[in-house]
Structures are given as C-alpha cells and as structure tokens.
Amino acid sequence: MNKKIVGTLAVIVAVLAGAGIYSGVNAQKAKVPTVGVLQFMSHPALDQIYSGIKVGLADSGYKVGKDVKIDFQNAQGDQSNLKTMSTKFANEKANVSVGIATPAAIAVANTVTSKPVIFSASTNPIGAKLVKSYSHPGGNVSGVSDQAPLAAQLKMMKTFMPDLKTLGIIYTSSDDSATTEAKKMASLAKAAGIEVKEYTIASSNDLNQTSLQMVNNNNVQAVFVPTDNTIAGAFTTLLKNTDNAKVPVFPTVDTMVKQGGVAAESINEKEIGVKTGEMIAQVLKGKQPGKMPVEFMKKGNLVINKAEANKLGLTIPNEYNKAKIVGE
C-alpha cells in the first residue's frame, strides 16, 4: 500500500478515536455502573422499598438495564446469606452497595469498606453504628431512615381507644431498630399514663407462642408493633391470635395495615425507596456518602383498615374522615 495512503488512514483513525467514534478494532461503550442491592428478606414493605429505588434512579437519569445495572440479592432473613452476599459486592467492586433494612445495611457497611454504601430503612442508624452523625455521617456510608412518628402514632391509638390503659409492645430482641422504636413507644405510653407490657421474640418461630401469651386472659387492650422486619414477615401469625382475642394491632407501616392492622401513622415505604434511589444517583454522579446528611421522612400518612376496625368493634373517629382507607 502507498505510504501516503497509509499515513492518511492513520490520521483519520486517530481523529475518530479522539472524537470517541472509533477506538481500536471495536467501538467501546462507556461502562454501565453496577449497584449492588441487598434486601434483608421478602415482605411487602421491603419489596416496596426496592421498587421505589428503581423509580428514584430512573427519575435521576439512571434507567435500570440501560444506564445502570442492579445486582439484586435477597438474604431471606438468613444472617449467613447477608455476609456471603455482601462479600460478593465487595469482590465484584459494585460502584455503590445498598442495604435494605438495618441487618442488611450493617452487613454491607461492615464488608464493603472501600466503596460507597447507602442504607435504606434503618430506624436508628447511629445506634446501629452505620453513621457517626446524621448531618455529617463521615466515612463511606449514608442513607434514608424509616423512623416512625411515634408521638403521632400514640395519639392516634388513644383517639381510637380513649379508655386505653394497657398496651402490649412486641418486637424482635436482636433487631436494633425495632428495639429502639419499641423502647421509645414504651416511654411515651408510660408518660401518658398507660401501662406497658413488653414481649420479645428471637425469631419468627417464637411469634405464635409469645403473641398468645400476650393476648390471653385480657393481658393487653391493644398491641403496638414497631418497624420490625421479622414480625412483618410473619404478621399473619400475630393477627391470627390477636383477632381471636379481639385485640387491635397498630403497626407502623401501611403494608401491615393492609394485611390486617387497624391503623398506622405510616411512612410510605415506596417513598423511602425513591429517596434512596435519588441518593444512589447522587453518589454515581460523584458525591461522597460521608458528606451527605441522612434523610428522614418528614411525616406519616394515616392509613386505616376499615374492615378490621369494624370486625373488632372500633369506630373510626370523625377527625379521621380524610385518612386513607383500605380493607373496605
């Protein structure tokens, strides 16, 4: 081939490569970032968070499957799975690793130490040692909390049951977030002159026996369930026993009200997911989690299960005529 022609072709290739049109033999696409998402277990509330994450990413310009890849893992409540799946994110160097619910968030944060980590739905991130400060988290971790508006929740329960004197609180002892919320509600209730009886479980296998003990012999007039993933995953077991005893259950999330809780000043789980997705997008664009304040939901939305209230003989207070009604 004529040397002049060869030289001309070389110049053209160099120009095209510089413009990003040609590089080597094959055109190279920009690498799509990977987000590793570890969900603690399957139940409607956590599923809603994961759904919201994808919406938040898309709203921020990262359509899943096109602009970002998600490596989704579900530990199904198994602690050994949490460690294995977190290690997978660390070894494969996901651009951002996400933990849905406190146990998953702790596992990811303790394993992925050199890349950004975002938690979703951790009730007490400082107590869980995910961050040092809500305004200045530091390190490589930040996220979205699912702290429930407990004062509003207690006020709502008393409005439904003006003669409430004895409240049962049931939660998983190993769940730091659930324990924190349970203790706060106990303190608020005692200050309001309500006797509190606390019941704890170690796993979902304990829920049937413990809940029977709680509601038998008129031990309690109502039951409060904090944001507790283990109980949420086996909520029908609790409801079977409370319904038989005609004891109303007041959870903290809308999905549990739909299943048979009476009412909740609920934080919308999908909105938590959307906020999480938006935070992930900020990290993908170069923001450091340690400089991103922890996000909190500003208020709850009152959700009432009308059918459950009717079944238990509870009248929906007039001031709640604009609440979201489910179960009609």
Side-chain angles (χ1 to χ4, degrees):
M1 185 180 288
N2 187 294
K3 290 183 179 180
K4 185 175 181 180
I5 295 175
V6 172
T8 302
L9 287 173
V11 171
I12 292 171
V13 170
V15 170
L16 291 175
I21 299 171
Y22 181 91
S23 58
V25 177
N26 297 309
Q28 299 292 320
K29 293 183 179 180
K31 188 176 181 181
V32 174
T34 297
V35 175
V37 177
L38 175 57
Q39 184 170 311
F40 176 52
M41 66 190 302
S42 295
H43 70 67
L46 299 189
D47 294 343
Q48 282 287 308
I49 291 173
Y50 179 50
S51 175
I53 286 174
K54 290 181 283 187
V55 172
L57 281 167
D59 289 347
S60 303
Y62 290 93
K63 186 176 180 181
V64 177
K66 178 184 177 184
D67 309 297
V68 66
K69 175 186 174 183
I70 289 184
D71 180 358
F72 178 73
Q73 303 288 322
N74 191 326
Q76 299 295 357
D78 188 313
Q79 292 293 329
S80 62
N81 286 343
L82 290 174
K83 177 62 178 175
T84 301
M85 292 168 178
S86 298
T87 302
K88 181 177 186 288
F89 295 162
N91 290 343
E92 295 180 2
K93 295 181 171 60
N95 297 79
V96 184
S97 296
V98 182
I100 300 179
T102 299
I106 291 173
V108 172
N110 287 345
T111 308
V112 181
T113 56
S114 60
K115 289 279 189 177
V117 171
I118 298 293
F119 61 79
S120 188
S122 176
T123 306
N124 184 15
I126 291 179
K129 297 181 180 178
L130 291 168
V131 296
K132 295 179 180 178
S133 161
Y134 291 142
S135 56
H136 300 92
N140 65 318
V141 181
S142 189
V144 183
S145 174
D146 62 346
Q147 282 188 11
L150 296 181
Q153 180 87 359
L154 180 61
K155 180 181 177 182
M156 178 269 292
M157 288 190 287
K158 290 179 65 181
T159 304
F160 263 98
M161 304 179 69
D163 297 324
L164 180 61
K165 300 295 182 186
T166 310
L167 178 66
I169 300 178
I170 188 166
Y171 59 97
T172 306
S173 57
S174 60
D175 187 325
D176 290 337
S177 295
T179 300
T180 297
E181 221 169 62
K183 296 297 183 184
K184 285 183 178 179
M185 176 57 82
S187 179
L188 289 169
K190 289 174 184 176
I194 298 171
E195 181 184 0
V196 173
K197 296 185 178 182
E198 295 184 38
Y199 297 84
T200 62
I201 63 171
S203 72
S204 58
N205 294 330
D206 302 332
L207 187 55
N208 183 56
Q209 183 177 352
T210 303
S211 59
L212 278 173
Q213 178 189 354
M214 177 174 61
V215 298
N216 277 349
N217 303 317
N218 298 314
N219 275 346
V220 299
Q221 293 172 278
V223 173
F224 169 71
V225 179
T227 309
D228 187 309
N229 296 299
T230 301
I231 293 178
F235 195 48
T236 53
T237 299
L238 172 65
L239 289 174
K240 178 191 69 175
N241 294 330
T242 54
D243 280 355
N244 286 340
K246 301 295 183 185
V247 174
V249 176
F250 295 91
T252 58
V253 295
D254 54 355
T255 49
M256 293 167 78
V257 175
K258 291 176 183 176
Q259 286 180 276
V262 171
E265 284 285 354
S266 169
I267 290 175
N268 187 295
E269 302 291 338
K270 189 164 186 177
E271 288 180 11
I272 291 175
V274 171
K275 277 188 177 290
T276 305
E278 292 170 350
M279 289 189 79
I280 296 166
Q282 291 180 56
V283 173
L284 291 174
K285 292 174 182 176
K287 217 165 182 185
Q288 297 177 27
K291 296 181 179 179
M292 300 167 65
V294 173
E295 295 271 2
F296 291 87
M297 306 304 290
K298 300 296 188 291
K299 63 177 183 177
N301 300 308
L302 180 58
V303 181
I304 298 172
N305 189 319
K306 186 176 181 179
E308 185 70 12
N310 290 341
K311 182 166 67 176
L312 297 176
L314 295 174
T315 301
I316 297 176
N318 291 332
E319 57 261 52
Y320 294 155
N321 59 3
K322 293 185 178 179
K324 180 180 178 180
I325 303 295
V326 298
E328 288 189 276

